[in-house]
Amino acid sequence: MMSLPDAPGLRRTRRWLPSPRLSPEALTLLVCVVFTLLYNGPFWHGMLADAPLVSVAAWESLSVEALVLTVLQFVVFLPFMTRHTVRPLLSLLVILAAVVNYFTTRYGTHFDTTMIDNVLQTDTREAGELLTPSFALYLLLYAGLPVLLLWCVRLTASRWPRALLRRSGYLVGAVAVLAASLMIGYQGLSSEMRNRPALRYLVTPGNALVSTGQVMAASDPLPAERLPLGEDAVKGVEGDKPRLLVLVVGETMRAADWGLDGYERQTTPRLAERDLVNFTDVSSCGTSTAVSVPCMFAPGGRGEQSEREIKSHESLLDVLSHAGFRVLWLDNQSGCKGVCQGVETRQIAAQDHPAQCPDGECLDGALFEEAARVAKGVDRDTVLVLHQLGNHGPSYYARYPDDYRVYTPTCDSAELSQCDRQAVVNSYDNAVRYTDALLDGLIGDLASLPGVDTAMLYVADHGESLGEHGLYLHGLPYAIAPDEQTHVPMVWWSSAGFDATAGLDDSCLAERAKRPASHANLFHTVLGVLGVETRVLQPERDLTRDCRGG
């Protein structure tokens, strides 16, 4: 097998770059030291948050922790490093470390299994917004240059007995150093990890490697056909008119900036003029779309069902279909995460809404235009689900038309760290006002439909961080996620005809809306208010149960 260092281009590069001669083991150790010192800033920031370096003991503790981190990585990586594999593998690790460190540093991202799932499910449109000039420059400096230097190193050649002895010596020595370091610093290190378990998701690049391995290990093939759910479902209520429930799944909408929830800005002025019910204390299933959306449409709440169990079974939409409802999912996002697999689904197409999709990417106005078309043709009981693009970041400025640029100055870039924080908030709040207008227009359309009893339920999938505690975007492990990422808005509106058929008392529901609720209520509330009878219904989770007569 020919070694790449013999390539003419690389030999020419060595004329102007340093080209030391190292063994594969020494090169691996050097890269591990670099990882510890240059690619783990967020980890060290977390470790030092409560222990500033003001004493000799603090410096000693820091040194031991750095030694443990370096040697642990070395022990893990070394078995895979031969003379022929060391540079390709270390190059991949450097690139991975640079990418992970960039997003952790800029946005406060923690690379746990949930984040890896998000990465795997991100579409090209979402990914493209993150490929900013600063990201490219960062990769050039923290990935491109180190990889170039890595390939300029000349590897020492040894026959296999000597190479084996050398490798064994390095490994035995590393294990001995690791053991001694742990004996010295175990108490402090273990205490930190117990008190702040999120720190383990900041150790780069081990965080991404371990989490990816866990995701892959848990990705057993799903059943060829989803397991049935609520096949016994029937309508226990029939009205004189067809019923239409529009369920709007909001994207990245946090209650902290929702005007109806007491935000200092009135970002929902149109909804504030409507006679509707606003739920003020709603918790999400997760901090990402990939987790929250499947959970929202499943019968169990957060932590009650595994991701595999949820994906292996039919969803709320299938139960409604079993009961005889027409179910349609309209999507202006990156898909329904498997929830709509068994029902009619449409992706919003730019050519059908040219005014709303001037650059080929559609504002949510296109989604609501399509919903209005569908609503006009309803002739039987129907549940229509709208999956918004909403406030999906980081390009908040691209989520609303110019007419809704109310709060200025705005951050007209995906480079949130390059903007003043208030400008980021302004852009986000403008997008909230756009959703307010769309929901208000939808309610107006539903209220004016002749011969149909209508209702709307809006609920967001998760929230968003806008710079609080140095965090941006979403996706933190739920256990450490701030309220901004888990507290979401939810709004209910219904026509008089719908209320009469359901026996619903809106004033009673308004009182219930003041108490805590969560995504775990969605499945059972929708079935309950539509009068669907099935064994999978848990009446105690139906938010309308005590507000419906009969």
Side-chain angles (χ1 to χ4, degrees):
M1 179 177 180
M2 179 174 287
S3 180
L4 196 54
D6 295 329
L10 205 55
R11 287 199 301 269
R12 288 194 297 268
T13 301
R14 289 202 186 102
R15 296 174 184 172
W16 54 275
L17 283 178
S19 53
R21 185 181 295 274
L22 296 173
S23 68
E25 295 80 13
L27 182 58
T28 303
L29 180 59
L30 176 61
V31 171
C32 290
V33 171
V34 172
F35 285 157
T36 298
L37 298 179
L38 298 183
Y39 295 84
N40 275 278
F43 172 78
W44 294 120
H45 179 76
M47 289 292 288
L48 296 173
D50 300 323
L53 299 175
V54 295
S55 66
V56 174
W59 279 100
E60 290 176 347
S61 177
L62 179 68
S63 300
V64 171
E65 290 163 356
L67 186 60
V68 169
L69 182 57
T70 301
V71 178
L72 181 60
Q73 294 180 101
F74 179 70
V75 169
V76 172
F77 298 151
L78 183 59
F80 304 96
M81 303 300 174
T82 68
R83 188 169 183 273
H84 297 295
T85 64
V86 63
R87 275 183 292 224
L89 291 180
L90 289 180
S91 296
L92 292 175
L93 288 173
V94 167
I95 294 170
L96 175 63
V99 172
V100 169
N101 191 50
Y102 175 84
F103 287 105
T104 303
T105 303
R106 295 299 178 92
Y107 302 112
T109 304
H110 286 53
F111 280 80
D112 63 340
T113 53
T114 299
M115 182 54 62
I116 297 302
D117 269 330
N118 293 338
V119 171
L120 295 176
Q121 296 188 42
T122 296
D123 63 14
T124 54
R125 178 176 62 178
E126 294 175 351
E129 293 184 357
L130 297 171
L131 302 180
T132 60
S134 68
F135 179 49
L137 179 60
Y138 187 94
L139 284 186
L140 181 64
L141 295 177
Y142 282 83
L145 181 58
V147 168
L148 177 61
L149 294 173
L150 183 66
W151 282 92
C152 285
V153 172
R154 292 177 293 178
L155 296 175
T156 57
S158 301
R159 295 185 180 273
W160 76 265
R162 183 176 178 182
L164 181 60
L165 288 174
R166 184 181 62 207
R167 173 172 299 239
S168 300
Y170 267 98
L171 191 57
V172 170
V175 171
V177 171
L178 180 61
S181 302
L182 287 173
M183 289 178 63
I184 296 172
Y186 177 77
Q187 184 174 356
L189 191 59
S190 63
S191 176
E192 287 286 350
M193 290 301 180
R194 282 197 305 270
N195 294 334
R196 288 182 288 176
L199 285 175
R200 73 174 73 106
Y201 301 120
L202 298 177
V203 178
T204 305
N207 48 4
L209 292 172
V210 172
S211 295
T212 301
Q214 291 174 337
V215 169
M216 296 304 177
S219 59
D220 296 332
L222 296 174
E225 293 186 7
R226 291 182 303 159
L227 300 175
L229 181 69
E231 287 186 310
D232 63 327
V234 295
K235 293 179 188 176
V237 174
E238 290 282 0
D240 296 331
K241 302 176 182 177
R243 289 174 293 165
L244 169 63
L245 171 62
V246 180
L247 177 56
V248 183
V249 180
E251 169 64 34
T252 317
M253 186 68 76
R254 65 190 220 162
D257 289 47
W258 190 247
L260 292 178
D261 282 345
Y263 182 39
E264 60 186 13
R265 282 177 168 173
Q266 181 47 281
T267 53
T268 54
R270 299 192 186 187
L271 291 178
E273 298 297 320
R274 289 284 183 182
D275 183 14
L276 46 73
V277 177
N278 180 64
F279 292 79
T280 58
D281 188 5
V282 181
S283 299
S284 65
C285 270
T287 61
S288 67
T289 303
V291 172
S292 283
V293 169
C295 181
M296 291 167 69
F297 289 86
R302 189 180 71 84
E304 296 180 30
Q305 296 176 276
S306 68
E307 180 181 352
R308 176 180 171 78
E309 184 179 2
I310 292 174
K311 291 183 177 180
S312 297
H313 285 78
E314 294 179 334
S315 72
L316 167 64
L317 305 185
D318 298 282
V319 179
L320 293 169
S321 185
H322 295 324
F325 287 83
R326 181 198 176 192
V327 181
L328 171 61
W329 179 287
L330 298 181
D331 204 290
N332 193 35
Q333 249 269 24
S334 57
C336 66
K337 312 306 178 185
V339 168
C340 61
Q341 183 177 335
V343 301
E344 184 181 356
T345 304
R346 296 182 198 169
Q347 185 74 35
I348 298 303
Q351 62 268 25
D352 297 334
H353 306 273
Q356 300 288 348
C357 315
D359 58 356
E361 294 186 1
C362 296
L363 295 169
D364 277 331
L367 178 69
F368 283 76
E369 281 184 358
E370 190 69 21
R373 294 176 187 175
V374 173
K376 290 178 181 178
V378 167
D379 57 4
R380 63 187 180 97
D381 287 352
T382 300
V383 174
L384 175 61
V385 186
L386 311 184
H387 190 197
Q388 284 188 273
L389 180 58
N391 282 42
H392 197 289
S395 299
Y396 308 122
Y397 71 95
R399 304 295 176 245
Y400 54 89
D402 289 340
D403 292 347
Y404 289 86
R405 194 172 180 268
V406 177
Y407 307 113
T408 57
T410 56
C411 179
D412 298 333
S413 168
E415 299 268 15
L416 300 184
S417 61
Q418 303 302 313
C419 294
D420 177 77
R421 181 176 175 271
Q422 188 57 53
V424 174
V425 173
N426 289 343
S427 296
Y428 184 91
D429 287 352
N430 288 336
V432 178
R433 288 189 66 121
Y434 184 49
T435 289
D436 167 67
L438 293 175
L439 293 177
D440 176 68
L442 174 63
I443 291 173
D445 290 340
L446 295 177
S448 64
L449 279 179
V452 183
D453 292 331
T454 55
M456 180 205 76
L457 177 61
Y458 168 87
V459 58
D461 59 353
H462 56 78
E464 186 89 326
S465 288
L466 297 178
E468 300 87 0
H469 318 294
L471 301 174
Y472 286 91
L473 305 182
H474 54 268
L476 278 182
Y478 203 95
I480 64 167
D483 187 67
E484 290 84 7
Q485 294 191 25
T486 61
H487 185 193
V488 296
M490 185 164 77
V491 171
W492 169 267
W493 172 89
S494 51
S495 67
F498 189 98
D499 288 347
T501 300
L504 183 64
D505 181 348
D506 279 345
S507 61
C508 169
L509 189 60
E511 287 300 313
R512 174 62 184 86
K514 298 175 183 178
R515 303 201 303 272
S518 74
H519 281 166
N521 296 110
L522 179 65
F523 182 100
H524 308 283
T525 298
V526 170
L527 293 180
V529 79
L530 291 175
V532 175
E533 298 175 356
T534 170
R535 287 191 298 272
V536 298
L537 172 64
Q538 299 174 30
E540 67 277 8
R541 288 185 165 177
D542 173 10
L543 298 174
T544 69
R545 180 184 65 167
D546 297 332
C547 299
R548 287 186 284 111

Short mmCIF file of all heavy atoms in Angstrom, two decimals, residues 5-55:
data_model
loop_
_atom_site.label_atom_id
_atom_site.label_comp_id
_atom_site.label_asym_id
_atom_site.label_seq_id
_atom_site.Cartn_x
_atom_site.Cartn_y
_atom_site.Cartn_z
N PRO A 5 2.43 10.30 1.82
CA PRO A 5 3.51 11.26 1.94
C PRO A 5 4.49 11.26 0.78
O PRO A 5 5.22 12.22 0.57
CB PRO A 5 4.22 10.86 3.23
CG PRO A 5 3.14 10.22 4.04
CD PRO A 5 2.30 9.49 3.04
N ASP A 6 4.51 10.17 0.01
CA ASP A 6 5.42 10.10 -1.13
C ASP A 6 4.90 10.86 -2.34
O ASP A 6 5.57 10.95 -3.36
CB ASP A 6 5.67 8.64 -1.51
CG ASP A 6 6.41 7.90 -0.40
OD1 ASP A 6 7.20 8.54 0.32
OD2 ASP A 6 6.15 6.70 -0.25
N ALA A 7 3.69 11.38 -2.26
CA ALA A 7 3.11 12.09 -3.39
C ALA A 7 3.93 13.35 -3.69
O ALA A 7 4.37 14.03 -2.76
CB ALA A 7 1.66 12.46 -3.10
N PRO A 8 4.14 13.69 -4.97
CA PRO A 8 4.96 14.85 -5.33
C PRO A 8 4.45 16.15 -4.73
O PRO A 8 5.23 16.98 -4.28
CB PRO A 8 4.88 14.88 -6.87
CG PRO A 8 4.55 13.47 -7.25
CD PRO A 8 3.70 12.93 -6.16
N GLY A 9 3.14 16.34 -4.73
CA GLY A 9 2.58 17.58 -4.19
C GLY A 9 2.93 17.77 -2.74
O GLY A 9 3.22 18.88 -2.29
N LEU A 10 2.88 16.68 -1.98
CA LEU A 10 3.19 16.78 -0.56
C LEU A 10 4.67 17.04 -0.34
O LEU A 10 5.06 17.76 0.57
CB LEU A 10 2.75 15.49 0.14
CG LEU A 10 2.44 15.64 1.64
CD1 LEU A 10 1.40 16.71 1.87
CD2 LEU A 10 1.96 14.31 2.19
N ARG A 11 5.51 16.47 -1.18
CA ARG A 11 6.95 16.72 -1.05
C ARG A 11 7.25 18.19 -1.30
O ARG A 11 8.08 18.80 -0.64
CB ARG A 11 7.73 15.84 -2.02
CG ARG A 11 7.78 14.37 -1.60
CD ARG A 11 8.92 13.67 -2.32
NE ARG A 11 8.79 13.73 -3.77
CZ ARG A 11 8.17 12.80 -4.49
NH1 ARG A 11 7.61 11.76 -3.90
NH2 ARG A 11 8.09 12.92 -5.80
N ARG A 12 6.54 18.79 -2.27
CA ARG A 12 6.76 20.21 -2.55
C ARG A 12 6.29 21.08 -1.38
O ARG A 12 6.89 22.09 -1.05
CB ARG A 12 6.01 20.62 -3.83
CG ARG A 12 6.65 20.08 -5.11
CD ARG A 12 6.08 20.79 -6.33
NE ARG A 12 4.64 20.53 -6.47
CZ ARG A 12 4.16 19.52 -7.19
NH1 ARG A 12 4.98 18.65 -7.80
NH2 ARG A 12 2.86 19.36 -7.30
N THR A 13 5.17 20.64 -0.75
CA THR A 13 4.64 21.39 0.39
C THR A 13 5.64 21.43 1.52
O THR A 13 5.78 22.43 2.24
CB THR A 13 3.32 20.77 0.87
OG1 THR A 13 2.39 20.77 -0.21
CG2 THR A 13 2.73 21.54 2.05
N ARG A 14 6.39 20.33 1.71
CA ARG A 14 7.34 20.25 2.81
C ARG A 14 8.51 21.24 2.65
O ARG A 14 9.26 21.48 3.58
CB ARG A 14 7.91 18.83 2.91
CG ARG A 14 6.91 17.81 3.43
CD ARG A 14 7.67 16.61 4.00
NE ARG A 14 6.76 15.55 4.37
CZ ARG A 14 6.54 14.46 3.65
NH1 ARG A 14 7.18 14.29 2.51
NH2 ARG A 14 5.69 13.56 4.08
N ARG A 15 8.67 21.80 1.45
CA ARG A 15 9.76 22.74 1.25
C ARG A 15 9.51 24.03 2.04
O ARG A 15 10.45 24.73 2.39
CB ARG A 15 9.90 23.06 -0.25
CG ARG A 15 10.31 21.85 -1.08
CD ARG A 15 10.28 22.21 -2.57
NE ARG A 15 10.58 21.05 -3.41
CZ ARG A 15 10.48 21.05 -4.74
NH1 ARG A 15 10.09 22.16 -5.37
NH2 ARG A 15 10.76 19.96 -5.42
N TRP A 16 8.21 24.35 2.27
CA TRP A 16 7.93 25.60 2.97
C TRP A 16 7.14 25.40 4.26
O TRP A 16 6.81 26.38 4.94
CB TRP A 16 7.20 26.57 2.04
CG TRP A 16 5.96 26.02 1.41
CD1 TRP A 16 5.86 25.28 0.28
CD2 TRP A 16 4.61 26.18 1.90
NE1 TRP A 16 4.55 24.96 0.01
CE2 TRP A 16 3.77 25.51 0.99
CE3 TRP A 16 4.06 26.82 3.00
CZ2 TRP A 16 2.40 25.46 1.16
CZ3 TRP A 16 2.68 26.77 3.17
CH2 TRP A 16 1.87 26.09 2.25
N LEU A 17 6.82 24.16 4.61
CA LEU A 17 6.18 23.87 5.89
C LEU A 17 7.07 22.93 6.69
O LEU A 17 7.78 22.10 6.12
CB LEU A 17 4.81 23.21 5.66
CG LEU A 17 3.65 24.12 5.25
CD1 LEU A 17 2.40 23.30 5.02
CD2 LEU A 17 3.39 25.20 6.29
N PRO A 18 7.03 23.04 8.03
CA PRO A 18 7.83 22.12 8.85
C PRO A 18 7.36 20.69 8.64
O PRO A 18 6.17 20.43 8.51
CB PRO A 18 7.54 22.61 10.28
CG PRO A 18 6.24 23.35 10.19
CD PRO A 18 6.23 23.98 8.84
N SER A 19 8.32 19.78 8.59
CA SER A 19 7.96 18.37 8.36
C SER A 19 8.75 17.48 9.32
O SER A 19 9.70 16.81 8.91
CB SER A 19 8.22 17.97 6.91
OG SER A 19 9.54 18.29 6.55
N PRO A 20 8.38 17.49 10.59
CA PRO A 20 9.09 16.65 11.55
C PRO A 20 8.83 15.17 11.29
O PRO A 20 7.87 14.80 10.60
CB PRO A 20 8.50 17.09 12.89
CG PRO A 20 7.14 17.59 12.54
CD PRO A 20 7.27 18.24 11.20
N ARG A 21 9.65 14.34 11.86
CA ARG A 21 9.48 12.90 11.72
C ARG A 21 8.98 12.36 13.06
O ARG A 21 9.64 12.53 14.09
CB ARG A 21 10.81 12.23 11.33
CG ARG A 21 10.68 10.74 11.05
CD ARG A 21 12.03 10.15 10.69
NE ARG A 21 12.54 10.71 9.44
CZ ARG A 21 12.23 10.21 8.24
NH1 ARG A 21 11.41 9.18 8.15
NH2 ARG A 21 12.72 10.75 7.15
N LEU A 22 7.83 11.72 13.04
CA LEU A 22 7.21 11.19 14.25
C LEU A 22 6.69 9.78 14.01
O LEU A 22 6.34 9.41 12.87
CB LEU A 22 6.03 12.07 14.69
CG LEU A 22 6.33 13.51 15.11
CD1 LEU A 22 5.03 14.27 15.34
CD2 LEU A 22 7.19 13.54 16.36
N SER A 23 6.59 9.03 15.06
CA SER A 23 5.96 7.72 14.98
C SER A 23 4.44 7.92 14.99
O SER A 23 3.95 8.97 15.44
CB SER A 23 6.36 6.86 16.17
OG SER A 23 5.82 7.39 17.37
N PRO A 24 3.66 6.94 14.49
CA PRO A 24 2.19 7.07 14.56
C PRO A 24 1.70 7.32 15.97
O PRO A 24 0.75 8.07 16.19
CB PRO A 24 1.70 5.74 14.01
CG PRO A 24 2.81 5.26 13.12
CD PRO A 24 4.06 5.71 13.79
N GLU A 25 2.37 6.68 16.95
CA GLU A 25 1.94 6.84 18.33
C GLU A 25 2.19 8.27 18.83
O GLU A 25 1.33 8.88 19.48
CB GLU A 25 2.70 5.84 19.23
CG GLU A 25 2.37 4.39 18.95
CD GLU A 25 3.13 3.84 17.74
OE1 GLU A 25 4.08 4.52 17.27
OE2 GLU A 25 2.78 2.75 17.27
N ALA A 26 3.35 8.81 18.51
CA ALA A 26 3.67 10.17 18.94
C ALA A 26 2.76 11.18 18.26
O ALA A 26 2.32 12.17 18.88
CB ALA A 26 5.12 10.48 18.63
N LEU A 27 2.46 10.96 16.99
CA LEU A 27 1.57 11.85 16.26
C LEU A 27 0.17 11.83 16.87
O LEU A 27 -0.48 12.87 17.04
CB LEU A 27 1.52 11.47 14.79
CG LEU A 27 0.65 12.34 13.88
CD1 LEU A 27 1.12 13.80 13.93
CD2 LEU A 27 0.67 11.82 12.44
N THR A 28 -0.32 10.65 17.21
CA THR A 28 -1.63 10.53 17.85
C THR A 28 -1.67 11.26 19.18
O THR A 28 -2.62 11.98 19.49
CB THR A 28 -1.99 9.05 18.06
OG1 THR A 28 -1.96 8.37 16.81
CG2 THR A 28 -3.38 8.90 18.68
N LEU A 29 -0.61 11.10 19.97
CA LEU A 29 -0.54 11.78 21.27
C LEU A 29 -0.53 13.29 21.08
O LEU A 29 -1.20 14.03 21.82
CB LEU A 29 0.70 11.32 22.03
CG LEU A 29 0.92 11.95 23.41
CD1 LEU A 29 -0.27 11.66 24.32
CD2 LEU A 29 2.22 11.44 24.03
N LEU A 30 0.22 13.76 20.10
CA LEU A 30 0.28 15.20 19.84
C LEU A 30 -1.09 15.76 19.48
O LEU A 30 -1.50 16.81 19.98
CB LEU A 30 1.27 15.47 18.71
CG LEU A 30 1.39 16.93 18.25
CD1 LEU A 30 1.88 17.81 19.39
CD2 LEU A 30 2.33 17.03 17.04
N VAL A 31 -1.82 15.05 18.64
CA VAL A 31 -3.15 15.51 18.24
C VAL A 31 -4.11 15.50 19.44
O VAL A 31 -4.93 16.41 19.60
CB VAL A 31 -3.70 14.65 17.09
CG1 VAL A 31 -5.17 14.97 16.81
CG2 VAL A 31 -2.87 14.86 15.83
N CYS A 32 -3.99 14.51 20.31
CA CYS A 32 -4.82 14.47 21.52
C CYS A 32 -4.55 15.66 22.43
O CYS A 32 -5.47 16.22 23.03
CB CYS A 32 -4.61 13.16 22.27
SG CYS A 32 -5.28 11.70 21.42
N VAL A 33 -3.28 16.06 22.52
CA VAL A 33 -2.93 17.25 23.29
C VAL A 33 -3.58 18.49 22.68
O VAL A 33 -4.12 19.36 23.38
CB VAL A 33 -1.40 17.42 23.37
CG1 VAL A 33 -1.05 18.77 23.98
CG2 VAL A 33 -0.77 16.29 24.18
N VAL A 34 -3.54 18.56 21.35
CA VAL A 34 -4.16 19.69 20.65
C VAL A 34 -5.66 19.72 20.90
O VAL A 34 -6.25 20.79 21.13
CB VAL A 34 -3.84 19.62 19.14
CG1 VAL A 34 -4.65 20.67 18.37
CG2 VAL A 34 -2.36 19.82 18.90
N PHE A 35 -6.31 18.56 20.85
CA PHE A 35 -7.74 18.50 21.15
C PHE A 35 -8.02 19.09 22.53
O PHE A 35 -8.94 19.89 22.71
CB PHE A 35 -8.25 17.05 21.11
CG PHE A 35 -8.40 16.48 19.72
CD1 PHE A 35 -8.38 15.11 19.52
CD2 PHE A 35 -8.57 17.31 18.63
CE1 PHE A 35 -8.53 14.56 18.25
CE2 PHE A 35 -8.72 16.78 17.35
CZ PHE A 35 -8.69 15.41 17.16
N THR A 36 -7.25 18.66 23.50
CA THR A 36 -7.47 19.12 24.88
C THR A 36 -7.29 20.62 25.01
O THR A 36 -8.09 21.29 25.67
CB THR A 36 -6.50 18.39 25.83
OG1 THR A 36 -6.76 16.99 25.78
CG2 THR A 36 -6.66 18.89 27.26
N LEU A 37 -6.29 21.17 24.37
CA LEU A 37 -5.96 22.58 24.55
C LEU A 37 -6.75 23.52 23.66
O LEU A 37 -7.08 24.64 24.08
CB LEU A 37 -4.45 22.79 24.31
CG LEU A 37 -3.50 22.04 25.26
CD1 LEU A 37 -2.06 22.34 24.88
CD2 LEU A 37 -3.77 22.43 26.71
N LEU A 38 -7.06 23.12 22.44
CA LEU A 38 -7.65 24.05 21.47
C LEU A 38 -9.10 23.78 21.10
O LEU A 38 -9.77 24.68 20.57
CB LEU A 38 -6.81 24.05 20.18
CG LEU A 38 -5.35 24.51 20.31
CD1 LEU A 38 -4.68 24.52 18.95
CD2 LEU A 38 -5.27 25.88 20.96
N TYR A 39 -9.61 22.59 21.33
CA TYR A 39 -10.95 22.24 20.85
C TYR A 39 -11.94 21.95 21.98
O TYR A 39 -13.02 21.44 21.73
CB TYR A 39 -10.87 21.03 19.92
CG TYR A 39 -10.12 21.28 18.64
CD1 TYR A 39 -8.74 21.17 18.59
CD2 TYR A 39 -10.79 21.64 17.47
CE1 TYR A 39 -8.03 21.40 17.42
CE2 TYR A 39 -10.10 21.88 16.30
CZ TYR A 39 -8.72 21.76 16.28
OH TYR A 39 -8.03 21.99 15.12
N ASN A 40 -11.56 22.26 23.20
CA ASN A 40 -12.44 21.97 24.33
C ASN A 40 -12.70 23.19 25.20
O ASN A 40 -12.91 23.06 26.41
CB ASN A 40 -11.85 20.83 25.18
CG ASN A 40 -12.22 19.47 24.63
OD1 ASN A 40 -13.30 18.95 24.89
ND2 ASN A 40 -11.31 18.88 23.87
N GLY A 41 -12.72 24.36 24.58
CA GLY A 41 -12.97 25.59 25.33
C GLY A 41 -14.26 25.56 26.14
O GLY A 41 -14.25 25.90 27.33
N PRO A 42 -15.41 25.17 25.55
CA PRO A 42 -16.65 25.13 26.32
C PRO A 42 -16.58 24.18 27.51
O PRO A 42 -17.14 24.47 28.58
CB PRO A 42 -17.69 24.65 25.29
CG PRO A 42 -17.14 25.11 23.98
CD PRO A 42 -15.65 24.94 24.10
N PHE A 43 -15.87 23.05 27.36
CA PHE A 43 -15.72 22.12 28.48
C PHE A 43 -14.94 22.77 29.62
O PHE A 43 -15.35 22.71 30.78
CB PHE A 43 -15.02 20.84 28.00
CG PHE A 43 -14.65 19.90 29.12
CD1 PHE A 43 -15.61 19.09 29.70
CD2 PHE A 43 -13.35 19.84 29.59
CE1 PHE A 43 -15.28 18.23 30.74
CE2 PHE A 43 -12.99 18.99 30.63
CZ PHE A 43 -13.97 18.17 31.21
N TRP A 44 -13.82 23.39 29.28
CA TRP A 44 -13.02 24.03 30.33
C TRP A 44 -13.74 25.22 30.94
O TRP A 44 -13.63 25.47 32.15
CB TRP A 44 -11.66 24.47 29.76
CG TRP A 44 -10.81 23.32 29.34
CD1 TRP A 44 -10.32 23.07 28.09
CD2 TRP A 44 -10.35 22.25 30.18
NE1 TRP A 44 -9.59 21.91 28.09
CE2 TRP A 44 -9.59 21.37 29.37
CE3 TRP A 44 -10.53 21.93 31.52
CZ2 TRP A 44 -9.01 20.23 29.85
CZ3 TRP A 44 -9.95 20.78 32.02
CH2 TRP A 44 -9.19 19.94 31.19
N HIS A 45 -14.51 25.92 30.14
CA HIS A 45 -15.30 27.02 30.68
C HIS A 45 -16.30 26.50 31.71
O HIS A 45 -16.50 27.10 32.78
CB HIS A 45 -16.05 27.74 29.55
CG HIS A 45 -16.90 28.88 30.02
ND1 HIS A 45 -16.38 30.11 30.38
CD2 HIS A 45 -18.25 28.97 30.20
CE1 HIS A 45 -17.36 30.90 30.75
NE2 HIS A 45 -18.50 30.24 30.66
N GLY A 46 -16.93 25.35 31.41
CA GLY A 46 -17.86 24.75 32.35
C GLY A 46 -17.18 24.25 33.61
O GLY A 46 -17.68 24.40 34.72
N MET A 47 -16.01 23.64 33.43
CA MET A 47 -15.28 23.11 34.58
C MET A 47 -14.82 24.23 35.51
O MET A 47 -14.76 24.05 36.73
CB MET A 47 -14.06 22.32 34.10
CG MET A 47 -14.40 21.00 33.43
SD MET A 47 -15.09 19.78 34.57
CE MET A 47 -13.63 19.34 35.52
N LEU A 48 -14.49 25.38 34.94
CA LEU A 48 -13.95 26.47 35.74
C LEU A 48 -15.01 27.46 36.22
O LEU A 48 -14.70 28.44 36.90
CB LEU A 48 -12.89 27.24 34.94
CG LEU A 48 -11.64 26.44 34.56
CD1 LEU A 48 -10.77 27.26 33.63
CD2 LEU A 48 -10.86 26.04 35.80
N ALA A 49 -16.27 27.19 35.87
CA ALA A 49 -17.34 28.15 36.20
C ALA A 49 -17.42 28.41 37.69
O ALA A 49 -17.63 29.55 38.13
CB ALA A 49 -18.68 27.63 35.68
N ASP A 50 -17.27 27.36 38.51
CA ASP A 50 -17.38 27.50 39.96
C ASP A 50 -16.03 27.35 40.67
O ASP A 50 -15.97 27.26 41.90
CB ASP A 50 -18.36 26.46 40.51
CG ASP A 50 -19.75 26.62 39.93
OD1 ASP A 50 -20.16 27.77 39.73
OD2 ASP A 50 -20.41 25.59 39.66
N ALA A 51 -14.95 27.28 39.88
CA ALA A 51 -13.64 27.06 40.49
C ALA A 51 -12.58 27.89 39.78
O ALA A 51 -11.77 27.38 39.01
CB ALA A 51 -13.27 25.58 40.45
N PRO A 52 -12.59 29.19 39.99
CA PRO A 52 -11.60 30.05 39.32
C PRO A 52 -10.18 29.70 39.75
O PRO A 52 -9.95 29.21 40.86
CB PRO A 52 -11.99 31.46 39.79
CG PRO A 52 -12.76 31.25 41.05
CD PRO A 52 -13.48 29.95 40.88
N LEU A 53 -9.24 29.95 38.85
CA LEU A 53 -7.84 29.59 39.11
C LEU A 53 -7.16 30.64 39.97
O LEU A 53 -6.34 31.44 39.50
CB LEU A 53 -7.12 29.42 37.77
CG LEU A 53 -7.67 28.31 36.86
CD1 LEU A 53 -6.95 28.32 35.51
CD2 LEU A 53 -7.54 26.95 37.52
N VAL A 54 -7.48 30.62 41.26
CA VAL A 54 -6.91 31.61 42.17
C VAL A 54 -6.00 30.99 43.21
O VAL A 54 -5.51 31.68 44.10
CB VAL A 54 -8.04 32.39 42.89
CG1 VAL A 54 -8.85 33.20 41.90
CG2 VAL A 54 -8.96 31.43 43.66
N SER A 55 -5.75 29.69 43.08
CA SER A 55 -4.89 29.01 44.05
C SER A 55 -4.05 27.96 43.35
O SER A 55 -4.37 27.52 42.23
CB SER A 55 -5.72 28.35 45.16
OG SER A 55 -6.50 27.30 44.63
#
